[in-house]
Amino acid sequence: MTSRRALRACLLALAYLALALVFTYPLASHFGTHHVGEVGGDAKAYLWNYWWVEKALFELGTSPFETKQIFYPVGIGLSLHTLASLQGLLVAPLEKLVGPVRAPNLLILWTFVAS
């Protein structure tokens, strides 16, 4: 009975993935070359957020909630910024496996399926 439930769960996840691909069209055809989001929209801010979380935690060993990368030399606190720190933590290892363009795209597709 458990293998039947596992098969059903896998089929449902694949169905959700197919729906996510349909609703994020044309992401599937540009998955490795384009990021999700409008050219003039907030997509670049989220890409910076992913980059900053990885750099702060793994390269600099500092908190990602403070930066001098913005408003140098004074810096700024990012605790009220849309930092997406959990997504940044998830994207960091994915980038090493699939690259900097595919990693955020995979995360976005996963959020559709998981929700």
Side-chain angles (χ1 to χ4, degrees):
M1 188 70 168
T2 57
S3 65
R4 188 177 230 184
R5 291 180 91 177
L7 177 65
R8 183 173 182 227
C10 286
L11 289 175
L12 285 172
L14 287 174
Y16 278 116
L17 178 61
L19 284 171
L21 289 171
V22 167
F23 286 115
T24 58
Y25 179 82
L27 175 63
S29 59
H30 303 290
F31 199 77
T33 58
H34 292 78
H35 292 285
V36 173
E38 294 181 28
V39 174
D42 290 340
K44 290 182 181 173
Y46 281 103
L47 295 175
W48 184 87
N49 292 341
Y50 300 151
W51 169 81
W52 174 245
V53 169
E54 179 182 7
K55 183 166 184 73
L57 291 176
F58 301 117
E59 285 184 36
L60 302 176
T62 63
S63 170
F65 299 105
E66 297 281 331
T67 184
K68 290 192 178 193
Q69 301 288 328
I70 303 172
F71 298 121
Y72 182 82
V74 177
I76 191 168
L78 298 175
S79 60
L80 299 177
H81 175 66
T82 57
L83 188 58
S85 53
L86 176 61
Q87 291 90 336
L89 284 173
L90 295 173
V91 166
L94 274 176
E95 278 187 355
K96 306 294 187 248
L97 297 172
V98 297
V101 176
R102 287 184 181 97
N105 289 343
L106 277 173
L107 182 66
I108 288 170
L109 280 179
W110 171 247
T111 59
F112 277 96
V113 175
S115 66

